[in-house]
Amino acid sequence: MTEKKRIFSGMQPTGFLTLGNYLGAMRNWVALQDEYDCIYSVVDLHSLTVRNEAKDLRERRMSLLAQYIACGINPEKNILFMQSHVSAHAELCWVLSCFTYMGELSRMTQFKEKASKQEDNINAGLFTYPVLMAADILLYQTDLVPVGDDQKQHLEIARDIAARFNGIYGDVFKVPEPYIPKVGARIMSLQDPTGKMSKSDENKNSYISLLDPPETIVRKFKRAVTDSEAVIRFDAENKPGISNLMSIYSSVTGKTLEQIQNDFEGRGYGDFKIAVGEAVAETLRPIQERYRELMASKDYLLDVMRKGAENASRIAGRTLAKVYRKTGLV
Ligand code: TYM
């Protein structure tokens, strides 16, 4: 029997997931869970790079775990855990930071973007964030990392760090491959379709939250910024708003961009926006119901967390022990 290949991925507990998180990453996590041996983490240590109230962070971690399960991740078949419950992440992060160059970290576009948004708190953790992410992935001898397009550069640096370390100490880490969807890898803001949809956006109309009620979803799509050509046609450069709505509609209905163009030929943007809103609301409805049930079962969530931490620690511990042995830290 051949062993299943392994997947690792994670999301930050920054609130409710957006439609971008869902279509860019979560849907693939769910789709790949039978074929792969999957480990999904709530990456809470990463969240300390911005200031949080302790109480809020505690709640958001639990809520994100419930969102993973509500979206369809089966905790019986996969390992779901809190990053901070497995100390090997922080330990390997330190080791790997000694094999990562300042120059390569300073080229990270996400660091530059985030630093420009929090000029009063450009902490060292924000700078070394990709090293912790590399540790997350490499600890589990991961084959595949399903993420959205914005994490591609972080995946590349993780691969570089792994190859560099292996070049010195022999085959310690598996070099992981990214898994980025063809449609939906970069869902754009509904208010400024040249920027990505993000939950940290101040304008709540710019993103769809996993927990938005159906009427809010339809309203946000009705208000989505488009162009004045009034033709439903995919052209990301000249028609970013309509192209974004087409990608979203394609992702949730499974229709190709061509089919959508044909189906809506001669119809106005108003009709199309309502169709997209209703399709998204319909996709999220069962997730919202399941989420509410799960949040009422805190003991169950704690149990999933506990088991996940045990199982993840076992695997991570093996890699960390090998790293310590190879580097002379026995
Ligand atoms: P995070 O929490 O910002 O986002 C979680 C996932 O959602 C994807 N995503 C999007 N996809 C499409 N369109 C969008 N607008 C959009 N916004 C977000 C992200 O690409 C991501 O897959 N650094 C990571 C978390 C992380 C991680 C890891 C991921 C930490 N360690 C190890 C994989 C493996 C992050 O901040 O994701």
Side-chain angles (χ1 to χ4, degrees):
M1 204 181 82
T2 52
E3 266 197 32
K4 281 186 181 174
K5 290 196 168 186
R6 180 165 292 149
I7 279 184
F8 179 93
S9 200
M11 299 201 185
Q12 291 197 66
T14 22
F16 293 124
L17 297 182
T18 68
L19 189 63
N21 299 132
Y22 181 71
L23 297 179
M26 179 54 79
R27 274 210 332 176
N28 278 334
W29 294 16
V30 176
L32 296 167
Q33 66 180 334
D34 291 328
E35 202 183 326
Y36 289 82
D37 171 20
C38 302
I39 305 178
Y40 296 126
S41 182
V42 171
V43 292
D44 50 359
L45 292 172
H46 278 98
S47 291
L48 297 184
T49 53
V50 296
R51 293 279 173 263
N52 302 279
E53 290 288 337
K55 181 175 163 289
D56 293 346
L57 182 56
R58 204 158 51 227
E59 280 168 11
R60 289 203 306 262
R61 296 154 87 221
M62 185 78 117
S63 160
L64 185 54
L65 182 72
Q67 291 174 66
Y68 283 6
I69 302 171
C71 286
I73 305 289
N74 182 347
E76 302 297 325
K77 284 198 198 152
N78 308 283
I79 299 179
L80 301 186
F81 76 104
M82 296 286 151
Q83 182 189 34
S84 63
H85 290 176
V86 179
S87 60
H89 289 251
E91 290 178 72
L92 184 63
C93 176
W94 170 254
V95 176
L96 296 183
S97 71
C98 301
F99 294 85
T100 308
Y101 298 112
M102 301 286 284
E104 55 190 348
L105 286 176
S106 54
R107 283 195 291 276
M108 294 292 114
T109 51
Q110 206 162 76
F111 168 70
K112 290 184 217 165
E113 271 170 30
K114 288 190 177 169
S116 71
K117 280 190 199 146
Q118 53 185 83
E119 279 176 341
D120 54 342
N121 182 21
I122 306 178
N123 56 74
L126 198 63
F127 190 64
T128 59
Y129 178 112
V131 186
L132 180 58
M133 182 160 159
D136 298 340
I137 299 167
L138 300 181
L139 272 175
Y140 298 94
Q141 306 296 345
T142 302
D143 295 285
L144 211 59
V145 187
V147 283
D149 187 61
D150 62 338
Q151 296 300 317
K152 205 161 143 194
Q153 200 184 26
H154 290 160
L155 252 292
E156 276 159 18
I157 198 172
R159 287 168 55 87
D160 290 345
I161 297 169
R164 183 174 304 143
F165 195 93
N166 287 349
I168 304 172
Y169 296 106
D171 274 345
V172 177
F173 300 122
K174 193 165 265 180
V175 181
E177 297 287 338
Y179 186 96
I180 297 171
K182 285 199 180 68
V183 181
R186 184 173 279 268
I187 300 296
M188 308 310 269
S189 153
L190 299 183
Q191 291 298 312
D192 169 15
T194 59
K196 83 171 179 182
M197 182 181 284
S198 161
K199 54 197 152 198
S200 59
D201 203 313
E202 275 165 25
N203 184 349
K204 289 200 165 35
N205 286 325
S206 73
Y207 61 87
I208 302 292
S209 151
L210 206 68
L211 270 285
D212 275 345
E215 55 283 7
T216 307
I217 296 176
V218 173
R219 179 174 47 75
K220 285 183 179 177
F221 276 107
K222 275 189 190 163
R223 289 188 187 168
V225 170
T226 46
D227 53 74
S228 55
E229 193 195 28
V231 177
I232 295 160
R233 171 169 64 82
F234 193 89
D235 176 351
E237 206 171 304
N238 300 308
K239 293 166 72 69
I242 278 296
S243 302
N244 187 39
L245 298 187
M246 288 178 78
S247 297
I248 294 172
Y249 194 62
S250 166
S251 291
V252 296
T253 60
K255 290 186 180 173
T256 63
L257 297 173
E258 216 177 14
Q259 273 173 318
I260 298 170
Q261 195 168 316
N262 291 338
D263 287 356
F264 285 90
E265 204 181 334
R267 288 167 67 185
Y269 284 175
D271 272 5
F272 182 53
K273 287 177 174 177
I274 293 173
V276 181
E278 285 176 349
V280 169
E282 204 43 43
T283 304
L284 299 186
R285 194 178 43 80
I287 297 175
Q288 301 182 346
E289 279 169 17
R290 182 89 184 100
Y291 173 78
R292 289 193 189 97
E293 286 165 18
L294 285 160
M295 286 305 277
S297 331
K298 292 272 158 59
D299 286 348
Y300 169 73
L301 293 173
L302 286 171
D303 202 43
V304 168
M305 239 186 237
R306 216 173 284 125
K307 279 199 202 116
E310 263 173 39
N311 291 330
S313 291
R314 203 172 324 111
I315 303 170
R318 283 202 289 270
T319 302
L320 188 68
K322 194 166 179 189
V323 167
Y324 280 176
R325 205 164 57 239
K326 292 280 189 180
T327 47
L329 303 172
V330 251

